[in-house]
Amino acid sequence: MDSIRGKFKQMIFESDNGYKVGLFRVKEASSELEDMVNKTITFTGYFADVNYEDYYNLVGRYVFNERYGNQFQVSSYEREEPKGKDAVISFLSSSLIKGCGEKTATLIVEYLGDEALSKIKEDYTNLLSVPGISEIKAKRIYNSIIKYQSTDEIIVQLKKYGFTINEALSILNKWGESSLEVVNNNIYDLIDIIDFTKLDNVFLGMREANSRERVLACIIESFKRLGFKNGDTYLTREELFSNIRNDFKIFIEENEFDNYIEELRDKDEIIVLGKKYFLKEYYDYEEDIALNLKLINSHSKEKIDNFDLLIAGMQAEYDVKYNVDQKKAIKRALTNRVSIITGGPGTGKTTIINSIVKLYMRINNINYKNVINEIALLAPTGRAAKKMSDSTGLPAMTIHRYLKWNKEKNEFQINEYNKNSHKLIIVDETSMIDTYLFDSLLKGIKHNITLVLVGDANQLPSVGPGLILNDLITSDLFTHTTLEQIYRQSDNSYIPILAKEIKEHNLSEDFTRQTDDYNFLLASGLAIKEMIRKICLMSKDKGLTEDDIQVLAPMYKGENGIDNLNILLQGIFNPKDEDKKEVKVGDVIYREHDKVLQLVNDPDNNIFNGDIGYISSIRTITSPKKKEIFTIDFDGNEVLYTREDLINIKHAYAITIHKSQGSEFAHVIMPISKAYYKMLYNKLIYTGVSRAKKSLVIIGEKDSFIMATNNDYSTKRKTNLKEQLMNKFLENSK
């Protein structure tokens, strides 16, 4: 870390959460930054109120930002107490001190000396000896000094507890002078701004593990952790009780636990319906979804009098031939307020989306200039949105981008108070959408719309809690069209057939036979990696690149895990070359032209979890310090990364099947081994197989593949949406 001492000169930007960008005049600096002395530099960081007359010691890193140039990124700071006559006068006459101008400040120092600040803080009545200062004015000056000093003292104390400067300022900005009181009374009240694990660690350094406030907080946290672990929107009493004992090491009697549950019910933080225990917000998500779908569905249906004629025109113009189910899906989508279309790979879902859009435009006389105001094409991932856009020729976007997600505040700017006004909304890959995101989407759109939900109910469910697509289908309240007919690429095509067989738990006896687009290569676990190497080398010789081939595996660790496979595949597709720059971060080498995967949503740069890009360049900045700048190209969208940002990416020659959802790949290689046994289940294998567009190679053990096909454990999610829907729609019929 570097350190500098000096004064703030100017603020260029200030946010509500204390983040500041400005100019700082350096008077002293650590050895590496000696050339900065007596220069004004740009700084960034989180601060409480600052005084331009005070000296500050800043600790952080001097870095190069591609957009803004050299900056000192502050990680912590300390304010020096004003010393000397002039410094004390400057401080007292600053805008921070109420009721004290330069003339009054000079008088105070003349009468109280250089130690004026200490004397005032000891007893405000010391100011009364200064001519012209009344008791009211003395109290105002005293309160301003104490308030300013207390801010620093609060930050210092919070840092002693273990909070970072950023966390301390977040606490201070929300709770002000009450910050330490909140921390001491119930630290878990900070959960909206500080991670639970951090709060829990700080608490355990202060209090007993079985303290009342901790037990209550850990029960709430159990709902969240188990919800994300298992995808459940409600839990059982037994699950909750077991989790607080095992995860949080809280050992209380069952009757005590029941008393805590009653307390949380009384505070309206949880809801108990029979044997179902809900976190209030999860209960509300499902209730709001049911209510909004009911309100959308209550609008009158649309009519299309000349549908057959219109369809005939579409078939002639676009040279397509719709089967009975496809025609049914198109008509239902355009006449019902809410409709669902599902189907496996090769059944024409993409074709249907395109047809619905084109026919809607034709019926409503919408031209391409106005289409963005009328139609919204949405998907949970960037790659799925791109697929929709490529199919329709129209803009498509992620749901997060559509709802204008604010990453800093973790909230959507499009919401129930600020709705979008599109008339037709088509959502693809609906199986990936969790309860929270679907609730947020419905809150952000008006009720007089046509909503079309497209997906594959047999794919992996959402990462977050919920089973949205399945619950909507099984409620039997919305028109649902299943596309069954498979359009093979050739008579000897097997990928869509295999996906259907997996879905139906009915593998053909000869499922290992080779076809035009499929090959099952039998191999033991130890031989899998070598076989992948040979196939990739052969494919490369035939002109295929890493962009054409995607390896999908269930797990990161192990001999055939993704981490090992990426090292192997990087050596094949992007080997070390003197003309390619590379950087080693830990045990991982990042090299120009590497294929990489984005791991988190970053709406500011229009990239999202699951997006795949390529490192187009690595540049080394030498001034003021050596630093690498990585440019990663995501389908033409170039985003800059520093070494620290690389925690948000991984190599993508091999990726998890979970991360592949919403994407299609020309050629897929999928290893199957008993070593993956924890992750071998029907929906995972089905999802992996259904990602392949032109060819699929499965490498591994026949028995492991059969076991995975017959393992259904992932379908057992506990949700209440179906019941909420039934209740809301029943109310409508009374």
Side-chain angles (χ1 to χ4, degrees):
M1 285 289 186
D2 303 315
S3 62
I4 55 176
R5 176 181 178 270
K7 290 184 177 182
F8 293 101
K9 302 301 292 182
Q10 179 185 344
M11 293 300 165
I12 299 171
F13 170 80
E14 298 183 68
S15 71
D16 293 339
N17 66 351
Y19 182 76
K20 293 178 171 61
V21 179
L23 302 178
F24 188 85
R25 183 69 175 178
V26 180
K27 292 297 183 183
E28 297 176 20
S30 54
S31 58
E32 290 188 359
L33 296 179
E34 284 181 351
D35 58 339
M36 297 291 104
V37 174
N38 294 324
K39 292 182 180 179
T40 299
I41 65 171
T42 303
F43 72 89
T44 65
Y46 291 86
F47 299 86
D49 292 334
V50 299
N51 181 22
Y52 290 98
E53 301 302 326
D54 286 347
Y55 277 94
Y56 287 80
N57 291 297
L58 311 184
V59 177
R61 294 181 300 108
Y62 199 50
V63 302
F64 177 80
N65 181 290
E66 181 72 16
R67 187 178 298 177
Y68 302 112
N70 293 326
Q71 298 178 333
F72 191 84
Q73 293 181 345
V74 180
S75 57
S76 65
Y77 72 93
E78 287 184 358
R79 179 180 65 87
E80 292 184 4
E81 189 78 14
K83 294 178 181 178
K85 180 180 177 180
D86 292 341
V88 174
I89 291 172
S90 293
F91 174 73
L92 287 171
S93 60
S94 71
S95 60
L96 296 169
I97 308 303
K98 306 299 181 184
C100 188
E102 187 174 350
K103 185 177 179 181
T104 302
T106 304
L107 274 174
I108 291 172
V109 174
E110 284 180 3
Y111 277 81
L112 299 182
D114 292 356
E115 302 300 317
L117 293 178
S118 297
K119 292 178 180 179
I120 295 169
K121 286 186 285 186
E122 285 173 6
D123 188 347
Y124 81 91
T125 60
N126 286 328
L127 282 167
L128 299 179
S129 64
V130 180
I133 295 185
S134 65
E135 185 162 352
I136 292 175
K137 191 170 187 176
K139 285 183 176 178
R140 288 183 68 191
I141 294 171
Y142 168 81
N143 289 334
S144 295
I145 293 172
I146 295 301
K147 182 179 179 181
Y148 183 59
Q149 183 184 17
S150 68
T151 295
D152 282 353
E153 290 174 350
I154 289 169
I155 290 174
V156 169
Q157 186 59 48
L158 290 173
K159 286 174 68 180
K160 285 182 179 177
Y161 284 144
F163 294 108
T164 65
I165 184 67
N166 189 357
E167 291 167 341
L169 282 166
S170 296
I171 296 168
L172 186 65
N173 286 330
K174 181 166 183 178
W175 297 99
E177 294 180 32
S178 302
S179 295
L180 295 179
E181 184 181 344
V182 172
V183 169
N184 289 317
N185 287 345
N186 189 355
I187 195 172
Y188 299 101
D189 285 342
L190 305 176
I191 192 64
D192 288 343
I193 53 177
I194 308 293
D195 174 71
F196 179 88
T197 301
K198 181 62 172 281
L199 295 177
D200 203 38
N201 287 336
V202 173
F203 182 90
L204 289 172
M206 301 163 58
R207 306 278 178 82
E208 294 295 322
N210 281 13
S211 298
R212 170 186 164 277
E213 56 264 51
R214 181 169 187 262
V215 177
L216 293 171
C218 287
I219 292 174
I220 297 298
E221 183 66 12
S222 292
F223 276 103
K224 297 176 182 178
R225 291 189 181 184
L226 291 177
F228 271 88
K229 180 181 178 182
N230 303 321
D232 298 329
T233 59
Y234 71 84
L235 303 173
T236 65
R237 178 188 177 282
E238 292 72 23
E239 286 175 309
L240 282 169
F241 186 63
S242 173
N243 196 69
I244 67 163
R245 291 175 69 91
N246 297 329
D247 268 23
F248 301 108
K249 309 305 177 188
I250 294 174
F251 301 104
I252 56 176
E253 299 298 325
E254 292 200 21
N255 64 320
E256 290 181 87
F257 173 75
D258 290 334
N259 290 336
Y260 285 122
I261 290 292
E262 283 305 310
E263 183 174 347
L264 289 170
R265 289 182 70 178
D266 291 341
K267 293 165 68 176
D268 202 30
E269 292 188 41
I270 69 171
I271 290 175
V272 180
L273 298 177
K275 295 183 178 181
K276 298 178 180 180
Y277 287 62
F278 297 86
L279 190 62
K280 177 67 162 55
E281 61 195 72
Y282 289 0
Y283 180 88
D284 288 345
Y285 294 156
E286 291 183 320
E287 184 178 47
D288 290 343
I289 288 171
L291 176 60
N292 280 311
L293 286 174
K294 171 190 170 183
L295 293 172
I296 293 171
N297 213 52
S298 65
H299 284 261
S300 58
K301 293 184 177 183
E302 299 288 344
K303 292 184 179 179
I304 306 177
D305 295 328
N306 55 344
F307 178 77
D308 291 339
L309 188 61
L310 289 167
I311 280 291
M314 291 278 291
Q315 291 182 137
E317 183 173 348
Y318 296 105
D319 191 26
V320 294
K321 180 70 175 176
Y322 304 115
N323 64 37
V324 174
D325 286 336
Q326 289 177 322
K327 290 179 183 177
K328 193 185 297 181
I330 296 169
K331 186 172 185 179
R332 285 175 171 177
L334 294 174
T335 55
N336 288 276
R337 290 298 179 174
V338 181
S339 63
I340 302 168
I341 301 170
T342 59
T347 56
K349 295 192 300 296
T350 302
T351 299
I352 295 305
I353 290 173
N354 191 23
S355 301
I356 292 168
V357 170
K358 297 295 191 293
L359 191 53
Y360 182 88
M361 291 174 65
R362 183 169 298 186
I363 292 170
N364 294 279
N365 296 315
I366 299 170
N367 59 39
Y368 279 90
K369 287 184 179 180
N370 297 325
V371 70
I372 60 172
N373 299 318
E374 297 281 338
I375 301 172
L377 303 179
L378 310 176
T381 68
R383 290 179 73 86
K386 186 177 185 302
K387 187 174 72 173
M388 292 179 79
S389 182
D390 291 343
S391 165
T392 61
L394 300 174
M397 65 185 75
T398 65
I399 298 173
H400 277 80
R401 190 179 180 197
Y402 179 72
L403 297 177
K404 296 184 179 179
W405 182 51
N406 184 313
K407 183 180 180 180
E408 195 171 283
K409 295 182 178 179
N410 191 27
E411 61 186 27
F412 294 110
Q413 297 173 63
I414 299 298
N415 49 48
E416 60 265 51
Y417 309 109
N418 180 34
K419 295 176 180 282
N420 270 332
S421 55
H422 294 92
K423 298 297 184 183
L424 171 65
I425 297 176
I426 303 178
V427 184
D428 198 9
E429 300 289 353
T430 308
S431 65
M432 296 177 64
I433 302 174
D434 64 28
T435 306
Y436 167 68
L437 186 58
F438 194 56
D439 177 42
S440 300
L441 174 61
L442 294 180
K443 284 177 178 173
I445 58 180
K446 296 183 178 179
H447 295 137
N448 60 333
I449 62 158
T450 297
L451 177 63
V452 184
L453 304 172
V454 183
D456 187 342
N458 297 288
Q459 282 188 31
L460 289 167
S462 58
V463 174
L467 203 58
I468 295 296
L469 185 58
N470 183 74
D471 286 344
L472 296 183
I473 292 170
T474 57
S475 73
D476 206 27
L477 293 169
F478 309 100
T479 179
H480 172 216
T481 308
T482 303
L483 304 178
E484 295 283 1
Q485 185 173 333
I486 295 171
Y487 292 86
R488 304 189 191 192
Q489 295 171 349
S490 71
D491 290 339
N492 198 30
S493 173
Y494 186 56
I495 294 172
I497 304 299
L498 176 62
K500 189 171 187 291
E501 290 176 356
I502 294 170
K503 176 181 72 174
E504 296 172 351
H505 304 78
N506 186 28
L507 290 175
S508 303
E509 290 184 8
D510 56 348
F511 74 89
T512 58
R513 76 185 187 280
Q514 184 175 353
T515 67
D516 289 346
D517 62 353
Y518 169 75
N519 200 358
F520 194 120
L521 300 177
L522 296 173
S524 66
L526 295 174
I528 286 176
K529 202 162 73 168
E530 176 61 18
M531 197 166 284
I532 290 176
R533 187 184 72 83
K534 289 180 179 178
I535 291 171
C536 289
L537 286 172
M538 289 170 56
S539 300
K540 190 178 177 184
D541 288 342
K542 292 178 180 178
L544 296 180
T545 69
E546 65 272 27
D547 196 37
D548 302 308
I549 299 170
Q550 186 61 58
V551 176
L552 302 179
M555 298 169 65
Y556 281 104
K557 302 303 178 184
E559 178 65 19
N560 296 312
I562 289 164
D563 291 339
N564 268 342
L565 291 176
N566 269 319
I567 295 171
L568 169 73
L569 296 167
Q570 182 191 39
I572 294 172
F573 290 111
N574 192 28
K576 186 177 181 65
D577 189 313
E578 290 183 0
D579 294 331
K580 297 177 188 173
K581 293 181 182 178
E582 63 179 48
V583 173
K584 189 171 184 179
V585 181
D587 295 330
V588 180
I589 294 173
Y590 291 99
R591 185 175 294 141
E592 286 181 333
H593 308 317
D594 266 343
K595 182 179 181 180
V596 293
L597 175 77
Q598 177 74 12
L599 300 175
V600 297
N601 290 330
D602 184 0
D604 292 339
N605 286 306
N606 193 28
I607 48 172
F608 296 88
N609 185 358
D611 285 354
I612 291 177
Y614 291 86
I615 299 176
S616 55
S617 70
I618 301 174
R619 291 177 293 134
T620 302
I621 307 298
T622 56
S623 176
K625 297 172 69 175
K626 186 177 179 181
K627 187 175 184 64
E628 298 85 13
I629 303 295
F630 302 78
T631 302
I632 302 181
D633 186 345
F634 294 92
D635 292 319
N637 176 26
E638 292 194 337
V639 182
L640 301 180
Y641 289 72
T642 63
R643 177 185 284 262
E644 291 75 24
D645 297 327
L646 296 183
I647 60 172
N648 295 327
I649 67 168
K650 269 187 173 291
H651 281 113
Y653 302 102
I655 64 174
T656 66
I657 296 172
H658 278 91
K659 291 290 186 185
S660 75
Q661 280 189 275
S663 302
E664 283 184 340
F665 307 100
H667 307 280
V668 169
I669 299 172
M670 195 164 73
I672 297 292
S673 168
K674 286 186 176 69
Y676 301 139
Y677 74 97
K678 289 183 179 179
M679 296 295 291
L680 292 180
Y681 54 91
N682 185 277
K683 287 200 172 187
L684 187 86
I685 300 303
Y686 174 87
T687 301
V689 167
S690 60
R691 299 306 90 201
K693 197 172 181 181
K694 293 183 178 178
S695 77
L696 169 68
V697 177
I698 296 176
I699 305 172
E701 301 143 351
K702 184 176 178 180
D703 291 346
S704 295
F705 192 80
I706 294 171
M707 179 190 77
T709 301
N710 293 324
N711 182 6
D712 272 334
Y713 93 90
S714 68
T715 62
K716 299 172 184 176
R717 286 191 170 195
K718 299 191 295 295
T719 64
N720 202 51
L721 178 57
K722 181 178 175 181
E723 287 74 8
Q724 287 278 20
L725 286 164
M726 301 297 287
N727 290 337
K728 293 297 179 188
F729 278 72
L730 187 61
E731 289 173 8
N732 198 40
S733 64
K734 289 181 179 178

